Amino acid sequence: LDQSELETYWANVQQSLEGRPIKALAAYGKHVVLEGPDVEGVVIAEFPSLQDARDWYESPAYQAAAKHRHRGAVYRGLIVEGL
């Protein structure tokens, strides 16, 4: 939708992750969509717990960055509890 908004998001999202114990497992690598609508990219991040993921997502720092992501592109986001 707006490349400049996405660039602002990417420039600011890192600040929201500082001090949080997360591990990037995948980020915009090759992917195959088997069902449902195609996506341009996928990011998978591992957090210590579901609550840690929610705390990050709902943090003021992430929400400040996320408004630019919403203006820049159509996204789907979800949190999945691991095993």
Side-chain angles (χ1 to χ4, degrees):
L1 302 175
D2 186 331
Q3 185 65 31
S4 66
E5 288 287 349
L6 287 177
E7 290 170 7
T8 300
Y9 169 73
W10 294 325
N12 290 292
V13 72
Q14 285 301 106
Q15 290 176 303
S16 74
L17 298 170
E18 289 177 8
R20 296 186 185 270
I22 69 157
K23 178 180 177 183
L25 301 178
Y28 297 101
K30 291 182 182 179
H31 65 277
V32 176
V33 176
L34 298 175
E35 296 182 14
D38 196 9
V39 297
E40 290 183 28
V42 176
V43 174
I44 301 172
E46 179 181 70
F47 288 80
S49 71
L50 184 109
Q51 189 60 52
D52 287 317
R54 288 193 65 128
D55 289 347
W56 164 74
Y57 181 82
E58 295 169 356
S59 72
Y62 182 70
Q63 288 303 307
K67 67 182 178 184
H68 298 286
R69 181 175 58 81
H70 296 295
R71 292 178 194 149
V74 175
Y75 279 82
R76 286 178 290 200
L78 57 129
I79 298 171
V80 178
E81 188 170 35
L83 301 174

